[in-house]
């Protein structure tokens, strides 16, 4: 299970046993950059598989999740998703009512975020060979019309190396913004699945973020974006540090958290910063634009709690230092495994 958990073990597995078998091809953002999407001849392209258990959870279902996850992976590159594919694998015997409900939810989510589902595939496997259903989605995207102006704004303050909002594009001094509370999706799902009861107050944040991201890009100065899914905020920040060869200083008390998530995590002994999100974006931007970006994000219903949580710094070793509420400092390690499997 750790080979699919989104942490370091998975990245090692993918590098050694998956990508190593594929021919190396030079693209602007290639496969082995491990970014949210690839960029091939100026087309942004991503793929996702969804195995969430249970299929329905507080705040969403596998249908809304599959659309949002893929729309978000294209959007965080600085692109506009223009079409989705939907490949469904069903277990024989699954009730048609359930299929209808999930596909209706997919359709609604796609309509709400204005990204049509344009192609797909359907397969059925024998009972017992699969847990109900899997959905695989992919998407292509076009460069956002706001991206060039956005990077031109950033270039007024420092040299910008990437044409896209890639993981290797963060530099010392950049501000780090998170668009809202973290940990909601994973904790809502875990609580619902295990019957802990926190799900009465915590709902998954699953949502397409193309609208939120457009608000940020319109302001300008954004150099990197990522949706902190598996591995949570801790994984995203550490990935940026390694790929951009920087350090980071983050103020723990500035990270937005729901009270329900805080109490659930305390009780279960889980760090909310390691928990997957499905409706949040982490943004790195030049510091002079950070306040304006946060202000604009807060005007969108999906990012009302947006906040600056810290800054990138020069560092000999790429690492995230968390300044704790009581004035201490600790290193925020990337998670090795996943505290909550099968949440996406
Ligand atoms: Mg992603």
């Amino acid at each position: 299970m750790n080979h699919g958990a989104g942490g370091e073990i998975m990245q090692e597995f993918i590098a050694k046993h998956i990508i190593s078998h594929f021919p190396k091809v030079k693209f602007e953002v290639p496969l082995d950059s491990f970014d949210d999407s690839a960029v091939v001849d100026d087309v942004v392209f991503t793929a996702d598989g969804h195995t969430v258990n249970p299929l329905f959870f507080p705040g969403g279902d596998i249908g809304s999740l599959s659309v949002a996850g893929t729309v978000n992976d294209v959007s965080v590159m600085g692109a506009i998703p223009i079409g989705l594919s939907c490949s469904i694998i069903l277990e024989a015997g699954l009730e048609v009512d359930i299929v209808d409900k999930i596909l209706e939810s997919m359709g609604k989510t796609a309509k709400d975020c204005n990204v049509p589902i344009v192609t797909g595939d359907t397969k059925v496997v024998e009972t017992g060979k699969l847990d109900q259903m899997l959905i695989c989605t992919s998407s292509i995207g076009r460069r956002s019309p706001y991206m060039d102006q956005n990077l031109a704004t950033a270039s007024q303050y420092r040299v910008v190396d990437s044409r896209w909002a890639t993981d290797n594009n963060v530099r010392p001094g950049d501000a780090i913004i998170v668009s809202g509370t973290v940990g909601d999706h994973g904790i809502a799902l875990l609580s619902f699945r295990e019957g802990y009861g926190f799900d009465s107050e915590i709902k998954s944040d699953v949502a397409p973020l193309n609208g939120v991201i457009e608000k940020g890009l319109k302001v300008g100065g954004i150099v990197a974006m990522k949706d902190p899914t598996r591995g949570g905020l801790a994984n995203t920040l550490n990935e940026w540090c390694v790929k951009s060869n920087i350090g980071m200083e983050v103020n723990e008390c500035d990270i937005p958290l729901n009270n329900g998530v805080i109490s659930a995590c305390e009780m279960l002994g889980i760090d909310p910063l390691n928990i997957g999100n499905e409706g949040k974006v982490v943004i790195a931007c030049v510091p002079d634009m950070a306040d304006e970006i946060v202000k604009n994000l807060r005007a969108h219903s999906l990012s009302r709690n947006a906040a600056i949580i810290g800054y990138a710094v020069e560092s000999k070793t790429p690492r995230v230092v968390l300044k704790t509420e009581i004035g201490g400092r600790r290193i925020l390690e990337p998670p090795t495994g996943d505290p909550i499997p099968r949440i996406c």
Side-chain angles (χ1 to χ4, degrees):
M1 290 305 284
N2 277 338
H3 286 134
E8 281 186 323
I9 296 173
M10 183 176 96
Q11 290 197 354
E12 246 181 69
F13 174 72
I14 293 173
K16 212 170 151 190
H17 299 285
I18 298 180
I19 290 183
S20 63
H21 299 293
F22 300 157
K24 259 202 164 212
V25 186
K26 269 207 167 169
F27 284 120
E28 201 174 357
V29 182
L31 179 62
D32 58 5
S33 73
F34 286 91
D35 252 291
D36 297 275
S37 296
V39 179
V40 183
D41 283 348
D42 236 39
V43 175
V44 176
F45 183 29
T46 197
D48 267 314
H50 302 275
T51 62
V52 63
N53 170 37
L55 299 177
F56 300 92
F57 49 84
D61 55 70
I62 191 171
S64 56
L65 185 72
S66 64
V67 171
T70 301
V71 163
N72 294 345
D73 276 343
V74 168
S75 305
V76 294
M77 300 299 289
I80 293 185
I82 56 170
L84 286 160
S85 76
C86 159
S87 168
I88 303 170
I89 307 172
L90 301 165
E91 182 189 21
L94 180 65
E95 285 169 44
V96 173
D97 275 2
I98 293 179
V99 178
D100 270 333
K101 262 192 187 164
I102 286 165
L103 275 289
E104 188 192 342
S105 168
M106 268 190 101
K108 186 185 179 301
T109 311
K111 189 170 178 235
D112 288 350
C113 67
N114 203 21
V115 186
I117 297 165
V118 294
T119 186
D121 182 51
T122 309
K123 298 272 159 57
V124 179
V125 298
E126 300 93 328
T127 308
K129 300 283 186 199
L130 177 77
D131 188 2
Q132 296 186 294
M133 79 188 299
L134 304 178
I135 301 181
C136 298
T137 40
S138 64
S139 178
I140 51 168
R142 213 182 260 141
R143 190 172 177 81
S144 162
Y146 303 107
M147 195 56 183
D148 288 337
Q149 184 57 47
N150 165 70
L151 289 181
T153 302
S155 303
Q156 290 170 11
Y157 299 94
R158 68 158 173 86
V159 175
V160 177
D161 296 307
S162 177
R163 282 182 69 237
W164 301 91
T166 47
D167 297 338
N168 61 4
N169 211 23
V170 190
R171 298 292 175 269
D174 287 347
I176 310 297
I177 294 167
V178 62
S179 69
T181 55
V182 297
D184 303 18
H185 174 73
I187 294 298
L189 217 125
L190 174 75
S191 175
F192 181 64
R193 190 161 71 195
E194 308 297 330
Y196 295 139
F198 299 109
D199 47 291
S200 56
E201 43 182 320
I202 312 160
K203 284 192 171 32
S204 165
D205 59 354
V206 58
L209 295 170
N210 45 345
V212 169
I213 287 167
E214 187 182 290
K215 279 220 168 271
L217 290 177
K218 274 183 177 170
V219 177
I222 292 174
V223 289
M225 292 187 279
K226 201 168 194 65
D227 52 338
T229 51
R230 270 177 307 177
L233 184 64
N235 206 55
T236 291
L237 298 181
N238 275 284
E239 246 187 285
W240 278 358
C241 284
V242 171
K243 292 183 190 172
S244 294
N245 199 21
I246 49 158
M248 241 175 237
E249 291 197 353
V250 172
N251 294 312
E252 190 174 32
C253 53
D254 292 335
I255 301 172
L257 283 167
N258 266 323
N259 286 334
V261 168
I262 296 173
S263 35
C265 285
E266 273 172 6
M267 186 177 259
L268 301 168
I270 302 174
D271 186 343
L273 306 187
N274 291 345
I275 305 298
N277 310 275
E278 290 294 341
K280 297 291 151 42
V281 57
V282 189
I283 293 171
C285 66
V286 293
D288 302 75
M289 301 307 292
D291 287 331
E292 190 66 15
I293 290 170
V294 166
K295 196 180 126 197
N296 271 266
L297 292 181
R298 285 184 179 170
H300 195 291
S301 60
L302 294 175
S303 43
R304 291 244 184 274
N305 297 307
I308 300 169
I309 59 167
Y311 292 88
V313 295
E314 299 264 5
S315 176
K316 282 198 184 99
T317 45
R319 64 178 187 193
V320 182
V321 174
L322 199 64
K323 294 196 248 175
T324 63
E325 273 167 73
I326 51 166
R329 291 162 72 88
R330 74 171 168 99
I331 292 178
L332 180 65
E333 299 279 359
T336 47
D338 191 349
I340 316 176
R342 289 198 57 188
I343 63 166
C344 61

